[in-house]
């Protein structure tokens, strides 16, 4: 009897299977009434990035995206046919569509996005002909808009698909591989705040994948806004001035070498508030346009950006560029000498233009004979004069004296001023720079960068003038000058002021009303350290720095000759960083400054690579920035960007500075 | 020292097996069917999850690897049970029964603690589903009670009949609370099978069936069922095209099977099962995956394998040396037939949707291990039919 039950049950299963698969199968194939529920993720609106005045640097807009259901293009012939028909409508070549289909970055179950940000006509065209385009749909999505591009590109960073090497972490956080995430700059550093919370929608679709109805919905929660300390008008001024300074430097030749031209391919500018360490402007050139990354990058642009690591425009040279600070470092050496009692401010050294350490035993590697730039002899030189005229001999001598003292005085002073470690600014991948020491020489020797392992008097002499293996970032240099300017407080540099609750209303188009903002989290001003700068130490150095621009013997005097220093008293220091080859055409030009020096409001630092003496290229850039900050010369108005051709591989052009003056400096001494 | 002693350690005569030696009576056909089903399962699990796992950037073999591990554990347990006289198992049956019932009882406070209903214990990387093991202990315990002592014969008297119902009641009630209606019904089917073959009196069986049906009607009518359970029943009884999740699951499953046609849409190429339209396509709805990807031919092959297995179990039940063994094989047969019929039937809309797996083919460790253990006992009965 049991056997009969078993046989009849199996018989029932077989007959039902036969009915479904063989008898009714063709009918299923044709009508396939597959009404199904789909869970659709609702992307949250990404938080905005604002400047200190509430200008919306990174915004979002609703865009239309053409997608195709994957099941409709699984067969190669159907896919090819569809792509051939769509290529014209979407103005996208078939191989590009095919490449998207093969790209594993896109979700393999959800509909494949074929083209982002199509216009209304295209959307209507595709929607009306759905029988020609089976499985194709037009959906709404958010797209990033950088309203004031290309300015502040390095600070804002950019977004892109989840990077392959961070796949696991992002998946753990509930991201999908097709999600856009911050890849660089604030977009990356504040990804958790900016992202928001995705919502979800359960919808019913029919067999043609057409929307039937919404079954349930959990709305998405927008990300929080990030308010920067950057002032866009200052940022624009810094970027324009740097660009102009570099362009003009390229037309110049080093002194006595008329057949050579400076390459001046890159540079950076830092404008900081020395009373709290906040960054007002941070420029790096060559610049990039964050809008390039909003849609998937064409290959040509990708190669341009990532092909050459060192010269890539994506490198933020203000925080990632490491330069020998040259004579701008003499501020720190002077402070070390005076604070440690190694030298008195009024002690005079006879600067004959050449220095050989006395009582130093060893070869030229250990005890080198070193010269001033251009072998100038400055005569009897005290601390003030040494800073003003930038006497290398004075500082070689100080460097040698400091070498002979116990306790690594110069190294410790450099650390106190914030060198040798990242400053802690919110921007990702900040570099640490390098303080010459027994350890750092051994580190380089172990990696076969240098041939000599021991730390010699010559190393300390070079360190005292910011050469040799000394490496600093422009931001570190600005931090150090800010600390000196405010009397000895080293602040942690900050580019973010606050995180604001989403939804601050607009004041005008492109600017929110900050008075109606709710602060979610204010970024505190942090003190990274204190440097003891009693008047006996600070005053002689300050006198020397003021002399650089005020005193006819000062290295930047000629640059600031026509500048109203009585209205805006500046203290500064030129620097010329030599490259290992000692070729003049490879000199990096630096200028570090703060003003007004009796009550400092701004620290301005400029570094122009391969551009000559400090007074030649960097000082004029800094001067022009002060003229703009204090409206001594007209500034170009802050304007929203015109749309960018998404296929363009050229950087969007910046508006030129409105005045016609040149940024040509003087090829003086340093 | 290096010489080898060539003399046999024992007399040759000792090595010759008697005709009753269990080792000469292994059912190789049964073993072969189990191997074929396991292989079918691994292939289908891979095909069901390949596309979603790849799209999430995960190892496409991750489910297959876990299932292989379950098969290895279950296979080892099966071999161990083959060499352990099943009649001695009868002495242990109450201990095993108490252990699985205890585990089901513990699950109630445990699932409250982990916030929500749960049918399994989370033990680090492994999930243990006690209801699957309870099926096996229920079969063995029922067989022991229904078979009675060595001298009993004839129909089951009322006292033992009630005892059998009591054996069913404990795991049945505990599973119903979970709530797992499908597994409870499976217990009922096993009990009915054992009672029918074991000699239950027709009047007892008819009476208990009527009472059971009345209780079931009362439960459904009382509205105490969970929303989804009601959904499933309603969508089964009345195909009203309401877009409840259960109804859609069923329609999508039927459509997927229909799309398979005679020869199937191809391995890993199921429009519905790989497109995310069919839920749990690697476990509860694996038959849908097989029917869509391998078509009528593949699905029939699978059903034929189950048919052969049923015939084999029936054969063991008939050939067993004692009533206990016969009833264990009967219980196993009832378990297999009910579960296959319910699982396959639900994917084709002739049975309501429940969470019962397809034995050895569905992805799932507890079910695989428990089923292989049961097959070890059955094999044991087959091997020892002459001793």
């Amino acid at each position: 009897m049991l056997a009969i039950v078993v046989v009849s049950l199996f018989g029932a299963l077989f007959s039902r299977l036969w009915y479904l698969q063989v008898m009714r199968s063709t009918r299923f194939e044709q009508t396939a009434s597959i009404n199904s529920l789909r869970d659709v993720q609702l992307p949250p609106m990404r938080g905005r990035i604002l400047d200190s005045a509430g200008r919306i640097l990174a915004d979002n807009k609703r865009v239309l995206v053409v997608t195709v259901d994957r099941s409709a293009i699984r067969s190669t012939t159907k896919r090819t046919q569809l792509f051939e028909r769509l290529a014209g409508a979407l103005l996208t070549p078939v191989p590009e569509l095919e490449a998207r289909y093969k790209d594993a970055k896109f979700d393999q179950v959800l509909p494949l996005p074929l083209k982002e940000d199509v216009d209304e006509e295209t959307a209507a065209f595709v929607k009306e002909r759905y029988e020609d385009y089976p499985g194709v749909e037009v959906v709404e999505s958010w797209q990033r808009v950088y309203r004031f591009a290309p300015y502040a590109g390095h600070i804002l960073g950019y977004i892109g698909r989840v990077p392959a090497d961070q796949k696991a972490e992002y998946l753990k956080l509930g991201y999908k591989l097709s999600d856009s995430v911050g890849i660089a700059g604030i977009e990356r550093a504040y990804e958790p705040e900016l992202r928001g919370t995705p919502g979800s929608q359960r919808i019913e679709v029919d067999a043609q994948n057409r929307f039937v109805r919404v079954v349930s919905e959990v709305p998405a929660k927008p990300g929080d806004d990030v308010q920067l300390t950057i002032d866009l008008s200052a940022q624009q001024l810094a970027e324009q001035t740097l660009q102009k300074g570099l362009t003009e430097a390229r037309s110049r030749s080093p002194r006595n070498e008329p057949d050579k031209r400076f390459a001046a391919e890159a540079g950076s500018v830092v404008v900081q508030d020395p009373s709290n360490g906040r960054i007002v402007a941070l420029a790096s050139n060559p610049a990039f346009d964050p809008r390039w990354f909003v849609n998937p990058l064409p290959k040509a642009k990708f190669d341009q950006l990532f092909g050459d690591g060192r010269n890539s425009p994506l490198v933020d040279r203000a925080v990632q560029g490491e330069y020998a600070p040259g004579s701008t470092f003499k501020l720190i050496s002077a402070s070390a000498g005076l604070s440690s009692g190694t030298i008195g401010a009024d002690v005079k050294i006879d600067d004959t233009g050449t220095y050989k350490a006395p009582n130093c035993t060893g070869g030229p590697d250990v005890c080198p004979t070193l010269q001033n730039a251009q072998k100038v002899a400055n005569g009897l030189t005290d601390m003030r004069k040494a800073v003003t005229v930038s006497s290398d001999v004075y500082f070689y001598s100080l460097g040698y004296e400091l070498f002979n003292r116990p306790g690594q005085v110069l190294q410790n002073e450099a650390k106190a001023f914030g060198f040798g470690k990242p400053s802690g600014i919110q921007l990702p991948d900040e570099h640490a720079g390098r303080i010459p020491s027994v350890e750092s020489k051994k580190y380089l020797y172990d990696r076969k960068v240098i041939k000599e392992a021991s730390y010699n008097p010559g190393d300390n002499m070079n360190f005292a003038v910011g050469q040799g293996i000394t490496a600093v970032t422009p931001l570190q240099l600005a931090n150090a000058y800010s600390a000196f300017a405010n009397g000895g407080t080293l602040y942690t540099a900050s580019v973010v002021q606050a995180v604001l609750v989403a939804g601050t209303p607009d004041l005008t188009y492109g600017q929110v009303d900050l008075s109606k903002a709710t602060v979610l989290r204010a970024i505190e001003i942090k003190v990274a350290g204190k440097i003891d700068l009693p008047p006996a130490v600070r005053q002689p150095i300050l006198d020397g720095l003021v002399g650089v621009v005020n005193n006819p013997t000062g290295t930047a005097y000629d640059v600031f000759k026509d500048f109203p220093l009585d209205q805006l008293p500046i203290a500064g220091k030129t620097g010329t960083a030599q490259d290992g080859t000692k070729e003049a055409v490879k000199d990096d030009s630096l200028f570090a400054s703060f003003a007004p020096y009796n009550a400092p409001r701004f620290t301005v630092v400029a570094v122009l690579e391969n551009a000559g003496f400090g007074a030649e290229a960097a000082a004029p850039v800094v001067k022009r920035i002060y003229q703009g900050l204090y409206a001594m010369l007209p500034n170009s108005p802050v304007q929203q960007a015109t749309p960018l051709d998404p296929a363009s591989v050229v950087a969007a052009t910046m508006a030129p500075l409105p005045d016609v003056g040149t940024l040509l400096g003087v090829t003086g001494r340093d | 020292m290096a010489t080898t002693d060539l003399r046999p350690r024992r007399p040759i005569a000792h090595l010759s097996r008697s005709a009753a030696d269990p080792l000469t009576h292994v059912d190789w056909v049964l073993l072969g069917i189990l191997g074929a089903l396991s292989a079918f399962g691994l292939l289908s699990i891979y095909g069901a999850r390949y596309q979603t796992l790849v799209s999430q950037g995960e190892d496409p073999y991750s489910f297959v690897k876990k299932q292989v591990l379950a098969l290895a554990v279950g296979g080892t347990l099966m071999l161990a049970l083959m060499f352990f006289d099943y009649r001695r198992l009868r002495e242990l049956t109450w201990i095993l029964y108490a252990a699985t019932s205890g585990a089901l009882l513990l699950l109630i406070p445990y699932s409250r603690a982990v916030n929500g209903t749960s049918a399994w214990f989370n033990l680090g990387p492994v999930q243990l589903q006690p209801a699957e093991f309870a099926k096996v202990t229920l079969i063995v315990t029922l067989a022991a009670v229904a078979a009675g002592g060595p001298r009993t014969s004839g129909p089951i008297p009322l006292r033992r009949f009630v005892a059998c119902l009591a054996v069913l009641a404990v795991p049945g009630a505990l599973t119903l609370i979970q709530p797992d209606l499908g597994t409870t019904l499976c217990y009922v089917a096993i009990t009915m099978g054992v009672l029918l073959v074991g000699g239950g009196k027709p009047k007892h069986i008819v009476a208990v069936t009527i009472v059971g049906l009345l209780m079931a009607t009362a439960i459904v009518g009382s509205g105490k069922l969970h929303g989804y359970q009601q959904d499933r029943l309603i969508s089964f009884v009345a195909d009203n095209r309401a877009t409840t999740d259960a109804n859609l699951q069923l329609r999508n499953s039927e459509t997927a099977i229909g799309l398979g046609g005679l020869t199937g849409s191809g391995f890993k190429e199921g429009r519905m099962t790989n497109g995310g339209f069919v839920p749990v396509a690697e476990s509860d709805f694996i038959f849908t995956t097989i029917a869509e990807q391998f078509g009528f031919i593949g699905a029939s092959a699978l059903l034929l394998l189950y048919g052969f297995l049923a015939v084999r179990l029936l054969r063991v039940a008939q050939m067993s040396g004692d009533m206990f063994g016969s009833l264990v094989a009967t219980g196993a047969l009832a378990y297999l037939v009910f579960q296959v019929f319910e699982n396959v039937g639900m994917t084709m809309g002739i049975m309501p949707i429940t969470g019962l797996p397809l034995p050895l083919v569905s992805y799932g460790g507890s079910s695989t291990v428990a089923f292989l253990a049961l097959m070890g006992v059955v094999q044991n009965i087959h091997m020892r039919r002459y001793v």
Side-chain angles (χ1 to χ4, degrees), chain B residues 30-49:
Chain B
L30 177 63
L31 275 183
I33 295 171
L34 296 177
L37 282 172
S38 306
F40 212 130
L42 289 177
L43 192 69
S44 312
I45 291 166
Y46 180 70
R49 292 302 300 237

mmCIF file of all heavy atoms in Angstrom, chain B residues 30-49:
data_model
loop_
_atom_site.group_PDB
_atom_site.id
_atom_site.type_symbol
_atom_site.label_atom_id
_atom_site.label_comp_id
_atom_site.label_asym_id
_atom_site.label_seq_id
_atom_site.Cartn_x
_atom_site.Cartn_y
_atom_site.Cartn_z
ATOM 1 N N LEU B 30 22.257 1.785 -2.970
ATOM 2 C CA LEU B 30 21.852 2.896 -2.106
ATOM 3 C C LEU B 30 22.977 3.930 -2.013
ATOM 4 O O LEU B 30 22.752 5.133 -2.167
ATOM 5 C CB LEU B 30 21.494 2.350 -0.715
ATOM 6 C CG LEU B 30 21.105 3.370 0.347
ATOM 7 C CD1 LEU B 30 19.855 4.123 -0.036
ATOM 8 C CD2 LEU B 30 20.900 2.687 1.701
ATOM 9 N N LEU B 31 24.189 3.443 -1.762
ATOM 10 C CA LEU B 31 25.333 4.363 -1.659
ATOM 11 C C LEU B 31 25.511 5.152 -2.953
ATOM 12 O O LEU B 31 25.772 6.350 -2.932
ATOM 13 C CB LEU B 31 26.609 3.583 -1.353
ATOM 14 C CG LEU B 31 26.882 3.265 0.112
ATOM 15 C CD1 LEU B 31 28.218 2.545 0.249
ATOM 16 C CD2 LEU B 31 26.883 4.533 0.950
ATOM 17 N N GLY B 32 25.365 4.449 -4.083
ATOM 18 C CA GLY B 32 25.526 5.105 -5.382
ATOM 19 C C GLY B 32 24.498 6.208 -5.587
ATOM 20 O O GLY B 32 24.825 7.305 -6.059
ATOM 21 N N ILE B 33 23.239 5.939 -5.195
ATOM 22 C CA ILE B 33 22.186 6.955 -5.356
ATOM 23 C C ILE B 33 22.508 8.182 -4.498
ATOM 24 O O ILE B 33 22.384 9.328 -4.940
ATOM 25 C CB ILE B 33 20.808 6.366 -4.973
ATOM 26 C CG1 ILE B 33 20.412 5.250 -5.953
ATOM 27 C CG2 ILE B 33 19.746 7.460 -4.963
ATOM 28 C CD1 ILE B 33 19.186 4.462 -5.527
ATOM 29 N N LEU B 34 22.947 7.918 -3.258
ATOM 30 C CA LEU B 34 23.273 9.042 -2.372
ATOM 31 C C LEU B 34 24.396 9.893 -2.965
ATOM 32 O O LEU B 34 24.355 11.122 -2.927
ATOM 33 C CB LEU B 34 23.669 8.528 -0.981
ATOM 34 C CG LEU B 34 22.576 7.795 -0.196
ATOM 35 C CD1 LEU B 34 23.131 7.284 1.132
ATOM 36 C CD2 LEU B 34 21.388 8.719 0.050
ATOM 37 N N GLY B 35 25.415 9.201 -3.538
ATOM 38 C CA GLY B 35 26.527 9.936 -4.157
ATOM 39 C C GLY B 35 26.047 10.776 -5.330
ATOM 40 O O GLY B 35 26.417 11.948 -5.464
ATOM 41 N N ALA B 36 25.156 10.188 -6.146
ATOM 42 C CA ALA B 36 24.668 10.914 -7.321
ATOM 43 C C ALA B 36 23.865 12.138 -6.902
ATOM 44 O O ALA B 36 24.014 13.227 -7.468
ATOM 45 C CB ALA B 36 23.808 9.986 -8.173
ATOM 46 N N LEU B 37 23.021 11.985 -5.874
ATOM 47 C CA LEU B 37 22.221 13.120 -5.397
ATOM 48 C C LEU B 37 23.123 14.230 -4.868
ATOM 49 O O LEU B 37 22.901 15.416 -5.130
ATOM 50 C CB LEU B 37 21.251 12.663 -4.301
ATOM 51 C CG LEU B 37 19.987 11.940 -4.770
ATOM 52 C CD1 LEU B 37 19.234 11.377 -3.564
ATOM 53 C CD2 LEU B 37 19.087 12.881 -5.560
ATOM 54 N N SER B 38 24.167 13.845 -4.107
ATOM 55 C CA SER B 38 25.076 14.847 -3.549
ATOM 56 C C SER B 38 25.759 15.626 -4.661
ATOM 57 O O SER B 38 25.883 16.856 -4.593
ATOM 58 C CB SER B 38 26.142 14.184 -2.672
ATOM 59 O OG SER B 38 25.534 13.378 -1.703
ATOM 60 N N ALA B 39 26.203 14.923 -5.694
ATOM 61 C CA ALA B 39 26.889 15.581 -6.806
ATOM 62 C C ALA B 39 25.936 16.517 -7.539
ATOM 63 O O ALA B 39 26.291 17.665 -7.871
ATOM 64 C CB ALA B 39 27.440 14.519 -7.765
ATOM 65 N N PHE B 40 24.716 16.054 -7.740
ATOM 66 C CA PHE B 40 23.679 16.881 -8.381
ATOM 67 C C PHE B 40 23.497 18.166 -7.580
ATOM 68 O O PHE B 40 23.423 19.284 -8.123
ATOM 69 C CB PHE B 40 22.362 16.085 -8.408
ATOM 70 C CG PHE B 40 21.493 16.378 -9.602
ATOM 71 C CD1 PHE B 40 20.979 15.348 -10.380
ATOM 72 C CD2 PHE B 40 21.172 17.692 -9.930
ATOM 73 C CE1 PHE B 40 20.176 15.611 -11.470
ATOM 74 C CE2 PHE B 40 20.361 17.957 -11.020
ATOM 75 C CZ PHE B 40 19.864 16.918 -11.798
ATOM 76 N N GLY B 41 23.456 18.013 -6.263
ATOM 77 C CA GLY B 41 23.258 19.167 -5.383
ATOM 78 C C GLY B 41 24.383 20.170 -5.516
ATOM 79 O O GLY B 41 24.152 21.370 -5.666
ATOM 80 N N LEU B 42 25.628 19.697 -5.480
ATOM 81 C CA LEU B 42 26.781 20.607 -5.546
ATOM 82 C C LEU B 42 26.743 21.408 -6.853
ATOM 83 O O LEU B 42 26.937 22.620 -6.864
ATOM 84 C CB LEU B 42 28.086 19.820 -5.457
ATOM 85 C CG LEU B 42 28.401 19.204 -4.086
ATOM 86 C CD1 LEU B 42 29.684 18.400 -4.148
ATOM 87 C CD2 LEU B 42 28.508 20.288 -3.019
ATOM 88 N N LEU B 43 26.476 20.715 -7.942
ATOM 89 C CA LEU B 43 26.434 21.369 -9.249
ATOM 90 C C LEU B 43 25.351 22.455 -9.266
ATOM 91 O O LEU B 43 25.574 23.581 -9.730
ATOM 92 C CB LEU B 43 26.130 20.295 -10.311
ATOM 93 C CG LEU B 43 26.317 20.684 -11.769
ATOM 94 C CD1 LEU B 43 27.793 20.876 -12.049
ATOM 95 C CD2 LEU B 43 25.740 19.603 -12.684
ATOM 96 N N SER B 44 24.196 22.143 -8.708
ATOM 97 C CA SER B 44 23.075 23.077 -8.749
ATOM 98 C C SER B 44 23.307 24.270 -7.833
ATOM 99 O O SER B 44 22.948 25.399 -8.155
ATOM 100 C CB SER B 44 21.792 22.368 -8.346
ATOM 101 O OG SER B 44 21.671 21.162 -9.055
ATOM 102 N N ILE B 45 23.917 24.028 -6.663
ATOM 103 C CA ILE B 45 24.205 25.136 -5.746
ATOM 104 C C ILE B 45 25.160 26.117 -6.421
ATOM 105 O O ILE B 45 24.992 27.334 -6.358
ATOM 106 C CB ILE B 45 24.817 24.590 -4.436
ATOM 107 C CG1 ILE B 45 23.763 23.817 -3.647
ATOM 108 C CG2 ILE B 45 25.385 25.724 -3.589
ATOM 109 C CD1 ILE B 45 24.335 22.972 -2.527
ATOM 110 N N TYR B 46 26.145 25.568 -7.100
ATOM 111 C CA TYR B 46 27.107 26.431 -7.815
ATOM 112 C C TYR B 46 26.390 27.258 -8.885
ATOM 113 O O TYR B 46 26.559 28.468 -8.975
ATOM 114 C CB TYR B 46 28.192 25.554 -8.436
ATOM 115 C CG TYR B 46 29.248 26.328 -9.203
ATOM 116 C CD1 TYR B 46 30.158 27.137 -8.532
ATOM 117 C CD2 TYR B 46 29.327 26.253 -10.593
ATOM 118 C CE1 TYR B 46 31.120 27.846 -9.220
ATOM 119 C CE2 TYR B 46 30.288 26.957 -11.290
ATOM 120 C CZ TYR B 46 31.188 27.747 -10.601
ATOM 121 O OH TYR B 46 32.130 28.455 -11.283
ATOM 122 N N GLY B 47 25.543 26.577 -9.657
ATOM 123 C CA GLY B 47 24.828 27.274 -10.733
ATOM 124 C C GLY B 47 23.842 28.311 -10.208
ATOM 125 O O GLY B 47 23.604 29.330 -10.842
ATOM 126 N N ALA B 48 23.288 28.044 -9.016
ATOM 127 C CA ALA B 48 22.280 28.957 -8.477
ATOM 128 C C ALA B 48 22.917 30.250 -7.995
ATOM 129 O O ALA B 48 22.334 31.321 -8.127
ATOM 130 C CB ALA B 48 21.529 28.280 -7.329
ATOM 131 N N ARG B 49 24.101 30.188 -7.415
ATOM 132 C CA ARG B 49 24.660 31.367 -6.778
ATOM 133 C C ARG B 49 25.811 32.000 -7.548
ATOM 134 O O ARG B 49 26.325 33.034 -7.129
ATOM 135 C CB ARG B 49 25.159 31.010 -5.355
ATOM 136 C CG ARG B 49 24.038 30.681 -4.415
ATOM 137 C CD ARG B 49 23.071 31.857 -4.321
ATOM 138 N NE ARG B 49 23.736 33.039 -3.831
ATOM 139 C CZ ARG B 49 23.355 33.719 -2.759
ATOM 140 N NH1 ARG B 49 22.305 33.342 -2.090
ATOM 141 N NH2 ARG B 49 24.006 34.780 -2.391
#
